[in-house]
Amino acid sequence: MSADIPVRVEVHPNREAVVEFDPDLTFECVDSCTWCCHHGVLLYDREFFELGDRANLDEATTRFRGEDFVRREEKGHEHTAEDGQACHFLCEDGLCELHAEHDWKPARCSVYPLSVRWEDGEIRVDVRDSAWEHCEGMNVSERKVIDNLDAFLPEYLWELPNPDSEREL
């Protein structure tokens, strides 16, 4: 496979994604990096209700342009954006409260560092430009993204009318 030629990959049974990134790409979260947590996290409808089982939605979420997001808020620790804010669930130790306490996270978090879009009736997956600029986990491990797409792309993304992951708060 070449990075220049999109490839179809079965991610889940009968669920294919068109992969538009280098198949040799590896990714692993790095303990010291919380860059992806500096942004508001888009919540798809199903996740909004699932989050309600784990957290107070009034405290943790906000609406922007008709969509639900986990809010960004002022944090009193080093794991923040330049404005001192980060995801509501980012803890002082740099870990996600949702993932640590509930073994759950929104699709938007699972997808990172990938970009997902719906085009011509297919899910197309590439790497976010911002990941190359900011994320310390790119190409630092042996974990090939293409071999682990099921961990990055929850199956219900195929059921959504617009799984675009580039929407920002």
Side-chain angles (χ1 to χ4, degrees), residues 67-78:
E67 295 185 297
D68 294 302
F69 288 82
V70 172
R71 74 173 65 244
R72 293 179 78 237
E73 61 186 35
E74 191 73 32
K75 297 284 185 171
H77 55 71
E78 64 183 300

Side-chain angles (χ1 to χ4, degrees), residues 6-162:
V7 173
R8 293 179 182 284
V9 176
E10 186 174 59
V11 181
H12 301 284
N14 301 314
R15 307 282 193 189
E16 289 184 337
V18 178
V19 173
E20 300 176 330
F21 57 84
D22 184 339
D24 292 327
L25 172 72
T26 68
F27 175 79
E28 198 72 50
C29 283
V30 176
D31 286 342
S32 61
C33 180
T34 59
W35 186 83
C36 61
C37 303
H38 295 176
H39 314 281
V41 176
L42 173 68
L43 293 167
Y44 300 112
D45 290 344
R46 173 179 163 177
E47 295 175 316
F48 181 79
F49 295 108
E50 289 177 7
L51 179 60
D53 293 337
R54 295 163 175 87
N56 180 322
L57 294 174
D58 288 335
E59 293 175 6
T61 65
T62 188
R63 280 192 71 73
F64 181 70
R65 295 184 180 164
E67 295 185 297
D68 294 302
F69 288 82
V70 172
R71 74 173 65 244
R72 293 179 78 237
E73 61 186 35
E74 191 73 32
K75 297 284 185 171
H77 55 71
E78 64 183 300
H79 301 289
T80 64
E82 289 180 10
D83 63 1
Q85 296 194 355
C87 174
H88 174 81
F89 295 105
L90 182 63
C91 298
E92 192 169 336
D93 61 5
L95 298 177
C96 173
E97 176 185 333
L98 289 172
H99 196 222
E101 292 183 17
H102 303 284
D103 194 27
W104 181 87
K105 56 185 168 182
R108 178 75 179 263
C109 300
S110 296
V111 164
Y112 197 83
L114 303 177
S115 168
V116 176
R117 71 183 189 284
W118 189 254
E119 186 178 301
D120 299 326
E122 299 178 307
I123 286 185
R124 300 182 83 80
V125 184
D126 205 345
V127 177
R128 292 170 171 264
D129 290 339
S130 60
W132 292 114
E133 297 169 25
H134 302 284
C135 181
E136 298 174 25
M138 305 297 287
N139 287 321
V140 297
S141 73
E142 298 299 315
R143 181 180 178 233
K144 283 191 175 182
V145 173
I146 201 163
D147 294 337
N148 294 280
L149 277 176
D150 60 331
F152 289 93
L153 305 175
E155 190 168 9
Y156 66 87
L157 288 180
W158 279 262
E159 300 165 8
L160 300 173
N162 183 7

